[in-house]
Amino acid sequence: MSTAQFLPLRFNWKTGLLAPGLLLVTSTAVFAHNIEKHFKVEPRSVVTIHNPSGKVVVKAWTKSEVMVIATHTSDKVEVDAEQTGNRVDVMTHQISNSISPEDLRADYQINVPEDAELQIHDDSGEVSVANVLGDMNVETVGAGVDLEDAAGYLTVRTVGGSFQCIRCAGRLEVSSISGSFKLLSLRSYHVHAQTSKGNILLDGEFLPNGIYRLKNYSGVIEVHFSPGDSFDLSATSLKGKVNSQASLIPPAHAHPVSKFGNAILGTFNAGHAKVELSSFDGTINILKRE
Amino acid sequence: MTTVACRDFLDRFDSSDSPRNGSPADLSVQAHLRHCPSCRSFVEDLGKIRAAGAQLAASDPEPPARIWFALRAELEKEGLIRDTPSEVPSKSWLAELFSGKFSVLPRPVLAGGYLAALLAIAFGLSGPINSRINRQRWLDGTQSSTEPLSAQLMSAEKASFSSWPASETPVTASLHQNLEIVDNYISLCENSVREDPENELAREYLYEAYQQKADLLAQLNDR
Amino acid sequence: MAQAGNAAAFERLYRLHNRRVYSLCLRMVGNTAEAEDLTQEAFLQLFRKIATFRGESAFSTWLHRLAVNVVLMRLRKKSATESSLDEMTEPDEESGGPRRDFGMADLRLSGSIDRVNLQRAVDHLPPGYKAVFVLHDVQGYEHNEIAEIMDCSIGNSKSQLHKARMRLRELLHESLRDRAREDRKAAGNAGGED
């Protein structure tokens, strides 16, 4: 089912001509290894990507095919892609025991059908996914994650990498220690975003019956709303400030959380969605959209 | 009678997916259901089955005690259990559980399984906070569970540090930096809980910080 | 502590999770004797393997994965021929695969569903469907957790759940029709006696 096309190696002579002494040192560095593979898949295929370091760019296309283009400069790693049933596994193998971070790097460009399910693991580098509507699980250490027009069940975990999600729908769960999040033009019905040190910005639609939970330890949580939005708000910062521009109807009964720290609770318009914001000692701002 | 529209609807309808309110898929589902009583009853039936499933769990009986007795006997026979359990946990059973028994933490394991159990134990102690007896139990439990836990995580961290290669990669450097961030939050949260043990939010933050630390240490050990 | 072989820690772990594991086993096999046996087996495997737990998933997810595997292995042994997990989740028509009988859309499951009948219907589900239904609708796991427990994709979990519910609907309808038939028969006999 797969077609492997191996592109020829390219050797950059210009660098080699600098000085004879430099030839040996530089020649390995400028080898670029490329592979390109195509896999025919059925609907709802699963694509897994394991890449310790480098860029992973995934885009949807209309073909029932997964295309993998991988590039790396070092010969201490090997990139590979193989298919088992309706699942395509893409991975970077470390061949040598002693390897520098630069040598470990491999970059991928992958095209998938829009209903593909993705599982991506990339420690450092960048991960970007566009127009894929299947479920997604992304884990990184320092790599930033960028999703655009994604849908489905999206789970993202980073340690320090930032996260940006534009026009995403479905269900979103993102967690980090020090990464910051930007959730823009969101159309999700369930958002759970938690970071310790990072900031969180949420600017999107509050869907009826939607749940939006944002949590951090320190930093800023900022939520934008429009006059036509409708949500039930609970915003608490144990040691920090909570500021709201929303005119809220206060709750009928005292909320146990409001005993501790600074809290703003109430209903905006009919309270169709649920917005829960919580910080240990950070600042929470609920601001009217310009 | 089944029409083409019904077949098309049933082909596309998936009861396991929550429809995105206002999404095109949701709108087309709603539009068909408004005009088709057959498909409406089909969707309602699936909803009833889902709701009835949730009720099933409520009727589940308690597992009989003989399961544990048989299991314990087998574990002792296989030498997996080294000492006999106490019949009634005393007030300071948590302190007993932790004191000196963590002397050698198996490195590959770290806090994952331990922590899940310890957190569950700790949360198990926190009942309704307005009960004076529970409050006392909570204060005792918090002190005896969090202090040894914190100490054990620190010693696990030191043990792991000693085996890391001299040269750091950007990834391990990032993990170390984030470990420091989490340690800082643990310290802040511990102070907060000590000041205000009734504050459930502060406790929640503290336990989540421990969980984050355990996850980070596990990631570091995996490298 | 449990990894160091401490009995009190083992017992505490057991008490924390036994109810859920027992409930899962009971729903899967339908009788208490076998459910007890399977619960014991699941915890035995857990405690044998606890040293290998590396925290890559939540502990309860890991435990439930062990429990589901223990149950599915037992069910596989019980079936006449050796089946792959795929076969157990994609039954053919004869063994009761879900048929899209659109005509049944006209019959409504009126009122709430009787617990006993539902359990009977669940007992008739193929093992893979049963596992996903029990984990999701009965025990409340999310699809990403079920995917980890069953070692399948999230999409697979959703698709199996939908099929399980459709199959349950067919089974419940059959049960309703059987009952209606018996009621008519009983009424006819009573009339005859008069």
Side-chain angles (χ1 to χ4, degrees), chain A residues 94-266:
Chain A
Q94 190 176 319
I95 297 169
S96 167
N97 278 335
S98 67
I99 182 166
S100 68
E102 295 75 32
D103 285 339
L104 197 51
R105 187 186 170 106
D107 295 331
Y108 288 90
Q109 188 192 309
I110 300 174
N111 284 25
V112 301
E114 67 173 18
D115 66 349
E117 180 185 316
L118 301 178
Q119 292 169 19
I120 303 174
H121 194 119
D122 185 354
D123 280 344
S124 66
E126 273 169 55
V127 173
S128 113
V129 179
N131 297 308
V132 177
L133 307 182
D135 297 336
M136 225 176 280
N137 180 47
V138 183
E139 286 185 23
T140 81
V141 173
V145 179
D146 228 296
L147 305 183
E148 244 182 74
D149 298 299
Y153 198 135
L154 314 174
T155 55
V156 177
R157 280 184 64 175
T158 81
V159 172
S162 62
F163 173 66
Q164 180 167 278
C165 194
I166 301 178
R167 292 183 302 276
C168 292
R171 184 178 169 130
L172 173 63
E173 290 175 9
V174 51
S175 66
S176 179
I177 306 285
S178 56
S180 289
F181 308 149
K182 276 188 191 166
L183 314 175
L184 306 172
S185 305
L186 210 63
R187 296 169 197 151
S188 294
Y189 63 88
H190 180 116
V191 175
H192 186 176
Q194 177 162 349
T195 176
S196 294
K197 200 177 173 195
N199 302 324
I200 306 177
L201 168 63
L202 171 62
D203 189 328
E205 290 176 47
F206 294 108
L207 300 179
N209 300 319
I211 297 175
Y212 306 87
R213 283 194 186 110
L214 311 182
K215 191 172 187 174
N216 71 4
Y217 279 72
S218 60
V220 176
I221 294 178
E222 191 169 298
V223 169
H224 295 175
F225 70 94
S226 295
D229 284 330
S230 171
F231 52 83
D232 221 19
L233 174 71
S234 155
T236 309
S237 179
L238 276 181
K239 312 251 181 211
K241 292 185 188 157
V242 182
N243 309 306
S244 172
Q245 291 178 345
S247 313
L248 302 170
I249 303 164
H253 305 287
H255 199 278
V257 170
S258 61
K259 281 200 294 179
F260 308 108
N262 302 308
I264 290 181
L265 307 158

Side-chain angles (χ1 to χ4, degrees), chain C:
Chain C
M1 283 305 293
Q3 279 153 328
N6 181 284
F10 273 10
E11 186 172 357
R12 184 57 56 171
L13 267 178
Y14 171 78
R15 301 241 175 263
L16 280 169
H17 296 285
N18 68 341
R19 198 173 175 157
R20 266 200 130 177
V21 171
Y22 179 69
S23 165
L24 171 72
C25 295
L26 186 59
R27 294 286 151 224
M28 288 293 293
V29 297
N31 74 82
T32 53
E34 213 168 345
E36 286 176 30
D37 198 31
L38 287 167
T39 304
Q40 189 184 328
E41 182 60 32
F43 276 98
L44 201 53
Q45 284 204 23
L46 166 78
F47 292 138
R48 282 176 188 148
K49 292 179 185 178
I50 198 163
T52 64
F53 177 66
R54 295 166 69 83
E56 64 270 296
S57 63
F59 184 77
S60 62
T61 305
W62 186 63
L63 167 57
H64 281 84
R65 186 189 233 175
L66 276 178
V68 165
N69 283 339
V70 161
V71 170
L72 289 175
M73 289 280 293
R74 176 72 63 93
L75 291 172
R76 220 175 277 159
K77 275 187 198 157
K78 275 167 94 174
S79 66
T81 53
E82 197 67 11
S83 323
S84 69
L85 193 58
D86 284 337
E87 285 170 333
M88 290 183 132
T89 55
E90 292 288 350
D92 59 18
E93 289 294 310
E94 277 176 64
S95 64
R99 305 180 306 270
R100 275 216 298 270
D101 189 341
F102 299 127
M104 286 213 285
D106 295 329
L107 267 179
R108 187 181 277 257
L109 289 173
S110 56
S112 56
I113 296 172
D114 179 74
R115 207 180 284 163
V116 170
N117 283 326
L118 178 61
Q119 181 56 52
R120 275 201 203 120
V122 170
D123 289 342
H124 281 94
L125 283 178
Y129 287 1
K130 198 189 291 189
V132 177
F133 177 78
V134 167
L135 286 169
H136 188 277
D137 284 357
V138 179
Q139 298 211 324
Y141 282 97
E142 300 285 355
H143 287 293
N144 62 322
E145 293 168 312
I146 294 171
E148 246 189 285
I149 290 170
M150 304 274 298
D151 198 18
C152 66
S153 68
I154 291 172
N156 209 306
S157 169
K158 288 181 180 176
S159 144
Q160 299 309 321
L161 177 65
H162 180 58
K163 287 175 185 168
R165 286 176 184 159
M166 292 212 295
R167 182 66 188 132
L168 282 171
R169 183 175 175 271
E170 287 171 10
L171 290 164
L172 287 164
H173 275 299
E174 275 169 27
S175 160
L176 275 176
R177 276 198 296 269
D178 289 345
R179 219 181 318 153
R181 214 175 292 126
E182 278 168 29
D183 288 347
R184 280 197 301 275
K185 211 170 159 186
N189 287 344
E193 279 163 7
D194 289 345

